[in-house]
Amino acid sequence: LSFQDVYSPSVISLSEFLNTGEIWRLITPTFLHFSFMHIFFNSLGMWDLGRRLELLLGKMNFLLFFVVTATLSNIAQFLWHPAGFFGGISGVVYALVGFIMVSHKLAPNKLTAVQPAELGFMLLWLVLCMTGVLDSLIGGGVANAAHLGGLLAGCAYAFITVKPISSKV
């Protein structure tokens, strides 16, 4: 399920990786979790924000959103740290945050009306993780590039797919 083959002593480049034909590795790290708390908080984010987007976009469009943002956040993490072993759905959770923030500005909807404190907490958590403080507390690495890549992918996805509501003057 990992991006890189954990049994291989060498690290392959993205182009070599894509040439292997094992394209499922672009998304499968999303399903790896390394502790109960890791899966708990990721599941909480998916439940709270993901169900909103699934209702807003519909099942098939939400599935497309999931695949695109999972792939982009995993590629971001791979490019940042090619030899790293990473996993988790938090890149997609941050994509949900980005999509909701941009979508609600472009076309306000009750499904994207998330409390600013919740989104602010997620962004504060992102910055806190990027400082490296959490790495030392949990004894491991946080996939910061996946988080940031997911956030940017979600923002871009909203800019591309959401039709702005024009204000009448």
Side-chain angles (χ1 to χ4, degrees), residues 88-148:
I89 202 167
S90 51
V92 176
V93 172
Y94 273 99
L96 293 168
V97 170
F99 185 93
I100 285 170
M101 289 186 325
V102 171
S103 175
H104 196 69
K105 290 290 184 195
L106 295 175
N109 184 299
K110 66 181 182 176
L111 292 170
T112 57
V114 176
Q115 291 295 321
E118 183 178 351
L119 298 175
F121 173 79
M122 293 294 294
L123 296 175
L124 180 64
W125 187 257
L126 174 68
V127 171
L128 181 64
C129 287
M130 294 183 91
T131 65
V133 170
L134 256 84
D135 289 348
S136 61
L137 293 175
I138 64 173
V142 176
N144 292 314
H147 296 168
L148 185 58

Side-chain angles (χ1 to χ4, degrees), residues 3 12-22 25-26 78:
F3 209 95
I12 62 172
S13 69
L14 186 59
S15 61
E16 290 173 304
F17 168 79
L18 293 173
N19 287 333
T20 66
E22 297 178 350
R25 289 181 186 263
L26 291 170
F78 172 77

